[in-house]
Amino acid sequence: MKRKLSLFLVLALLVGMFALTGCGQGSSKLIGVAMPTQSLQRWNQDGANVKKMLEEKGYQVDLQYANNDVNLQIQQIENMITKGCKVLVIAAIDGSSLTDVLKKAADAKVKVIAYDRLIMQTPNVDYYATFDNFKVGVLQGTYIEEALGLKEGKGPYNIELFAGSPDDNNAYFFNDGAMSILQKYIDNGQLVVPSGQTEFNKIAIQAWESAKAQARMDNLITANYAGGKKLDAVLSPNDSLAIGIVASLQNNGYGTPDKPFPILTGQDCDKANVKAIIEGKQSMSVFKDTRTLAAKVVEMVDALLQGKEAPVNDTTTYNNGVKVVPSYLCEPVFADKNNYKQLLIDSGYYTEDDIK
Ligand code: BGC
């Protein structure tokens, strides 16, 4: 009788523990997801996809957007730690500003996954999930190379260069990737940069703002393209900059038979930019399927909470100044007017109506 009772107690205890830890159900564990801003379409999609996929696995999700305000993002992360989040998924606004708050996360045994952008200057980031950022730049550079026939020796062509926000580690990778293709043509004179501005700090646009890109393009045109000189290509690292660049080009008379739009690159396949591609104002964008990235992050969260190794495919590239962060790099692909239907519509990413 006594033995039966103790067996019963042990069983009851085990059932209780199982229920408490939520084993086997993905459980009611809380995951914090910190996104930079809602002002750019892609981050809304990223946030929604990560939340949905985590919830499908049984997790609870605290999703926050920080309006590109670094201090607000830090506060949001602090709250997530206080609320008892077990894992934080963070797309940083300023990659180097989270050192202190992530020390608090580490003290509270909270795991951290850097989402899309590497978190710099801290040992307290466990994994990084992103797209191959160098390859994004290579796709943009290669598009320009092919569109202008640079390999065949054509030129000289006028080009202006833009880069992303200096507080975003990705911006350097995009630029390095693009210049790995284009620099040789600048060196041999097939590409000419009339403004002379080629250094990262001269061409970078703080906070990836469309309006700042538009203002810089206006200035470049006024100062360097007087007397009928025309632009043949503009390297834009992403779609939000491309929007501003197109606005400036239009205001400056581009988009006519005499003065056609230059080749213009982008990244993200935001809806407005896909429309611009269809209308011939932007030449290409880089498609980074946020569903793929979200799914990878959910795999990482699951692995971390089960005390397992998360999936990675790169353990050398992403040094955050303190350590090399084990990374999973998804594949970016280029999109233009010839393949966008197959990439974006047939795959269910957008409906036809989305890009009308
Ligand atoms: C992302 C890009 C995005 C840019 C601006 C980068 O970190 O990788 O996809 O266009 O930020 O938000």
Side-chain angles (χ1 to χ4, degrees):
M1 182 67 197
K2 220 174 159 192
R3 271 189 49 194
K4 264 193 180 161
L5 192 70
S6 53
L7 194 69
F8 175 77
L9 279 176
V10 169
L11 275 175
L13 205 73
L14 279 176
V15 169
M17 273 168 59
F18 193 77
L20 269 179
T21 53
C23 280
Q25 295 179 20
S27 92
S28 58
K29 286 178 182 131
L30 186 61
I31 312 296
V33 180
M35 289 283 150
T37 173
Q38 280 185 299
S39 67
L40 230 77
Q41 187 206 318
R42 73 151 291 183
W43 301 115
N44 294 282
Q45 247 159 309
D46 285 281
N49 282 334
V50 173
K51 184 168 191 289
K52 179 166 158 264
M53 289 183 194
L54 282 171
E55 284 173 351
E56 279 165 6
K57 288 256 180 183
Y59 294 106
Q60 282 182 288
V61 178
D62 180 14
L63 168 64
Q64 301 291 338
Y65 289 90
N67 199 19
N68 266 340
D69 175 340
V70 176
N71 290 325
L72 180 58
Q73 185 167 60
I74 293 172
Q75 267 174 35
Q76 290 174 338
I77 295 172
E78 263 166 11
N79 284 340
M80 288 170 182
I81 301 168
T82 314
K83 282 187 205 163
C85 286
K86 298 288 177 242
V87 180
L88 299 176
V89 176
I90 302 173
I93 296 166
D94 176 341
S96 304
S97 66
L98 301 179
T99 310
D100 291 348
V101 73
L102 293 191
K103 172 79 177 61
K104 292 183 193 164
D107 291 346
K109 307 248 175 316
V110 179
K111 298 284 182 193
V112 174
I113 299 171
Y115 185 92
D116 192 80
R117 298 172 171 172
L118 187 57
I119 302 174
M120 310 299 288
Q121 308 304 336
T122 172
N124 300 315
V125 50
D126 297 281
Y127 289 102
Y128 179 34
T130 190
F131 283 84
D132 184 335
N133 294 302
F134 187 86
K135 183 157 182 206
V136 168
V138 169
L139 291 174
Q140 294 165 337
T142 305
Y143 193 92
I144 293 175
E145 180 185 51
E146 285 175 5
L148 296 180
L150 297 173
K151 259 194 192 159
E152 292 73 54
K154 293 192 185 156
Y157 291 110
N158 293 329
I159 188 169
E160 294 294 340
L161 311 171
F162 284 73
S165 193
D167 53 6
D168 180 349
N169 188 56
N170 286 355
Y172 301 89
F173 279 82
F174 301 148
N175 193 246
D176 287 349
M179 296 318 282
S180 75
I181 305 294
L182 299 178
Q183 187 63 51
K184 53 185 170 292
Y185 300 114
I186 296 179
D187 292 344
N188 77 6
Q190 279 178 268
L191 289 177
V192 178
V193 185
S195 70
Q197 298 183 9
T198 54
E199 279 164 43
F200 184 91
N201 62 2
K202 294 238 171 69
I203 65 175
I205 300 292
Q206 186 66 39
W208 298 94
E209 268 184 43
S210 307
K212 290 196 175 125
Q214 181 172 350
R216 175 164 184 261
M217 191 76 256
D218 281 345
N219 291 338
L220 291 177
I221 291 175
T222 311
N224 306 286
Y225 292 81
K229 197 191 264 187
K230 280 182 225 157
L231 267 163
D232 299 301
V234 180
L235 171 71
S236 166
N238 90 330
D239 281 355
S240 62
L241 267 58
I243 288 282
I245 293 165
V246 166
S248 167
L249 291 170
Q250 268 176 323
N251 290 343
N252 285 284
Y254 283 87
T256 60
D258 282 359
K259 219 175 162 188
F261 282 109
I263 303 296
L264 172 62
T265 57
Q267 160 180 207
D268 294 333
C269 286
D270 281 349
K271 289 176 196 165
N273 298 74
V274 178
K275 286 181 198 166
I277 290 174
I278 296 168
E279 290 164 4
K281 298 175 180 173
Q282 182 174 331
S283 315
M284 62 86 79
S285 189
V286 176
F287 180 44
K288 305 195 298 186
D289 192 328
T290 52
R291 296 168 300 190
T292 314
L293 185 57
K296 198 46 77 180
V297 163
V298 173
E299 272 182 54
M300 284 183 169
V301 170
D302 258 345
L304 278 172
L305 288 177
Q306 290 170 29
K308 292 186 193 153
E309 296 281 310
V312 293
N313 61 7
D314 184 304
T315 51
T316 54
T317 309
Y318 286 97
N319 189 323
N320 78 347
V322 175
K323 67 178 197 185
V324 175
V325 184
S327 307
Y328 193 96
L329 311 186
C330 304
E331 272 293 293
V333 286
F334 91 90
D336 68 1
K337 62 177 183 314
N338 298 315
N339 70 355
Y340 80 89
K341 275 201 176 135
Q342 177 208 338
L343 280 180
L344 303 172
I345 309 288
D346 297 354
S347 76
Y349 200 71
Y350 292 145
T351 63
E352 292 272 5
D353 281 347
D354 281 337
I355 50 175
K356 259 187 198 142

